[in-house]
């Protein structure tokens, strides 16, 4: 029994050594190899956390600077055009190219408003990366944030484009951001068409700008 | 004689309860048996992973090719025949939040530290453990049900009346978040139509029936606590919850174009997720 245990221990140690060697070899030549979606997400989230926790950027007077730095990271994480298209539903195809571009810009600002405000209140909460499920160029990453001892699930839906995984939607406590906005926009599109929707978003953005000042 | 009989009855009930508790402990413990050496956090993860695979929703429709490409096909919109009234109550709750709840919660969170707010939340959450245990049982989730019984027993005692979450922190036993509305949903009941209650907020027909069920399984009701105390406790819970989530409501409603529609949809998605135990 004892001998077997030692054998097993040895065996696992050999495996570890072998694995380390494989990793080193791969790592040396494969630094440029594309990382999985979860790793990519984690790198970006770590970057944001670092910005929010840096001592030089603390305080309300630095808020704008902090926001800009976070935005720089966020812009590379999301596929805003795809999200905007999907949030509009079939109406997207009826828009001219200029209208589409305009809408993407407005939609992006709206998302930023909703999430940057939330992100800025980040205070060392623990982020748990649970698992990733990949199917071809699609992936779902299951994470959670522990806030005030409660675990809040956040799931990301991603798609790969040229080796980079971009977020297409996220669910917080099972509420999909895109599905929620689609429902919200749909009611307004039906009554007031695209022009009414644009006006509403612009008003909303103006309101929140005034409130943050 | 009569006196003796009730006494006998009572001890019989107590011994049945003890027996149930005993089996529940064994049942719950058997599940975590081989992870005993792990830290509580690791245990919690073990359990949640086991729970995820047990619920059998391995194929997430989010990853489904069809839903990916044809994502404009939404799940059916819930009927809203009471919309004018619902909107009125939504407006009322909104004002209630900004004019009453938020200012009170601000003062409250200035007086009581966050640890205490969490303890108060735990206390109220613990009182819902009987309802959760029964609803897990009704959905055939034996392990979760016994886990809730153990949680209630341990947190009410070792957790000091439920203010601490001893069962989670020390044994890694997590709460199951079940309620009567979800049990009805589990057996196929749809929401039927949307209801935005004054004070209580978003709900639907099914979940409103569920609320009645949950109330009957609440210790305050079955111990026949005075209604003034029950009402006071409800207000305290509401203020405490608001203090813990200050800012969330504003952020959500201020970045929605039609906050009523956005809340209605979010409620529906949230409940669907809970019923499907994702």
């Amino acid at each position: 029994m004892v001998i077997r245990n030692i054998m097993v221990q040895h065996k696992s140690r050999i495996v570890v050594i072998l694995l380390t060697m494989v990793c080193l070899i791969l790592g040396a030549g494969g630094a440029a190899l594309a990382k999985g979606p979860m790793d990519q997400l984690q790198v970006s989230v770590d970057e944001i956390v670092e910005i929010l926790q840096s001592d030089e950027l603390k305080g309300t007077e630095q808020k704008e600077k902090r926001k800009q730095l976070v935005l720089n990271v966020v812009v590379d994480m999301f596929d805003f055009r795809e999200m905007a298209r999907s949030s509009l539903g079939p109406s997207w195809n009826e828009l001219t190219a200029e209208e589409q571009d305009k809408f993407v810009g407005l939609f992006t600002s709206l998302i930023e408003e909703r999430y940057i405000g939330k992100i800025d209140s980040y205070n060392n909460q623990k982020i748990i990366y649970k698992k990733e499920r990949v199917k071809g160029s699609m992936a779902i990453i299951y994470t959670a944030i522990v806030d005030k001892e409660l675990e809040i699930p956040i799931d990301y839906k991603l798609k790969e484009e040229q080796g980079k995984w971009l977020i297409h939607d996220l669910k917080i406590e099972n509420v999909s951001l895109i599905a929620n906005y689609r429902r919200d926009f749909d009611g307004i599109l039906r009554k007031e068409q695209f022009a009414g929707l644009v006006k509403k978003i612009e008003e909303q953005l103006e309101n929140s700008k005034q409130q943050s000042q | 004689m009569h006196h003796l009989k009730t006494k006998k009855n009572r001890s019989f009930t107590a011994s049945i309860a003890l027996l149930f508790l005993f089996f529940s402990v064994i049942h719950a413990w058997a599940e975590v048996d081989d992870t005993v050496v792990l830290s509580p956090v690791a245990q919690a993860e073990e359990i949640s992973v086991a729970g995820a695979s047990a619920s059998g929703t391995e194929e997430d429709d989010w990853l489904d090719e069809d839903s990916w490409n044809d994502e404009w096909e939404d799940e059916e919109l819930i009927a809203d025949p009471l919309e004018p009234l619902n909107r009125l109550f939504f407006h009322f709750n909104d004002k209630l939040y900004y004019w009453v709840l938020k200012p009170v919660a601000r003062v409250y969170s200035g007086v009581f530290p966050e640890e205490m707010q969490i303890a108060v939340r735990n206390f109220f959450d613990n009182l819902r453990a009987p309802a959760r245990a029964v609803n897990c049982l009704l959905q055939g989730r034996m392990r979760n049900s016994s886990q809730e019984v153990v949680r209630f027993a341990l947190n009410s005692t070792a957790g000091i009346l439920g203010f601490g979450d001893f069962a989670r922190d020390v044994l890694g036993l997590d709460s199951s978040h079940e309620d009567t509305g979800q049990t009805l949903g589990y057996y196929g009941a749809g929401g039927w139509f949307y209801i935005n209650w004054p004070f209580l907020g978003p709900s639907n027909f099914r979940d409103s029936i569920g609320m009645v069920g949950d109330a009957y399984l609440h210790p305050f009701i079955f111990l026949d606590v005075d209604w003034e105390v029950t009402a006071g406790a409800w207000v305290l819970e509401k203020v405490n919850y608001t203090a813990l989530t200050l800012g969330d409501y504003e952020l959500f409603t201020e970045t929605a174009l039609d906050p009523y529609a956005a809340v209605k949809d979010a409620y529906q998605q949230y409940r669907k997720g809970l019923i499907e135990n994702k």
Side-chain angles (χ1 to χ4, degrees), chain A residues 82 85-93 110 113-115 117-118 126 128 130-131 133-135 137-142 147-151 155-159 168-185 188 190-191 197 200-201 204 208 211, chain B residues 41 44-45 48 52 57-65 67-69 71-78 83 87 114 118 121-122 165 168-169 174 177 243-248 251-259 261-270 272-274 277-278:
Chain A
E82 193 48 45
R85 182 192 67 84
S86 159
S87 75
L88 216 50
S91 317
W92 171 266
N93 295 327
L110 203 59
E113 213 52 58
R114 184 173 282 192
Y115 288 99
K118 190 70 194 156
K126 192 177 157 211
I128 307 168
K130 294 195 156 169
K131 59 172 180 175
R133 295 185 51 224
V134 186
K135 196 166 152 191
S137 62
M138 305 181 292
I140 299 179
I141 303 175
Y142 300 88
D147 188 27
K148 292 161 188 167
E149 293 186 17
L150 273 195
E151 211 178 271
D155 306 338
Y156 297 86
K157 176 166 128 175
L158 302 98
K159 204 161 189 179
H168 277 221
D169 192 3
L170 71 161
K171 282 184 178 175
I172 301 176
E173 291 193 281
N174 276 307
V175 179
S176 143
L177 168 78
I178 297 299
N180 193 254
Y181 268 123
R182 197 180 308 141
R183 204 65 101 189
D184 191 2
F185 294 163
I188 291 158
R190 238 178 270 190
K191 276 178 263 170
L197 182 70
K200 273 250 160 68
I201 299 179
Q204 198 68 283
S208 50
Q211 255 152 21
Chain B
V41 177
E45 272 159 19
S48 70
T57 48
E58 202 40 63
E59 271 310 305
D60 195 317
D61 55 356
W62 229 21
L63 248 196
D64 186 34
E65 196 100 30
S67 85
W68 192 284
N69 296 324
E71 56 204 324
W72 293 341
E73 290 295 324
D74 271 315
E75 56 250 46
E76 76 297 358
L77 184 68
I78 189 165
E83 187 170 340
R87 276 191 187 271
E114 194 177 291
I118 291 171
R121 184 187 63 200
N122 288 344
D165 198 339
R168 184 197 61 202
D169 297 342
D174 278 321
H177 309 293
L244 279 168
T245 56
L246 272 177
D248 287 2
L251 204 61
F252 185 79
T253 50
E254 282 166 15
T255 51
L257 303 188
D258 179 359
V263 168
K264 177 164 86 173
D265 174 68
Y267 179 77
Q268 218 187 335
Q269 287 196 51
Y270 172 70
K272 187 171 178 268
L274 282 180
N277 289 308
K278 276 187 183 154

Side-chain angles (χ1 to χ4, degrees), chain A residues 42-89:
Chain A
Q42 200 161 351
V43 168
S44 305
V45 172
D46 286 348
E47 244 177 284
I48 294 173
V49 168
E50 205 175 310
I51 294 166
L52 294 172
Q53 289 184 328
S54 94
D55 286 327
E56 305 148 47
L57 294 163
K58 283 259 155 71
T60 39
E61 66 278 4
Q62 301 263 47
K63 195 175 175 189
E64 273 310 306
K65 195 174 170 196
R66 206 163 53 222
K67 186 175 168 181
Q68 203 46 55
L69 285 170
V70 170
L71 272 181
N72 290 344
V73 183
V74 169
V75 162
D76 286 333
M77 292 167 74
F78 290 84
D79 187 339
F80 283 114
R81 192 174 179 83
E82 193 48 45
M83 289 167 83
R85 182 192 67 84
S86 159
S87 75
L88 216 50

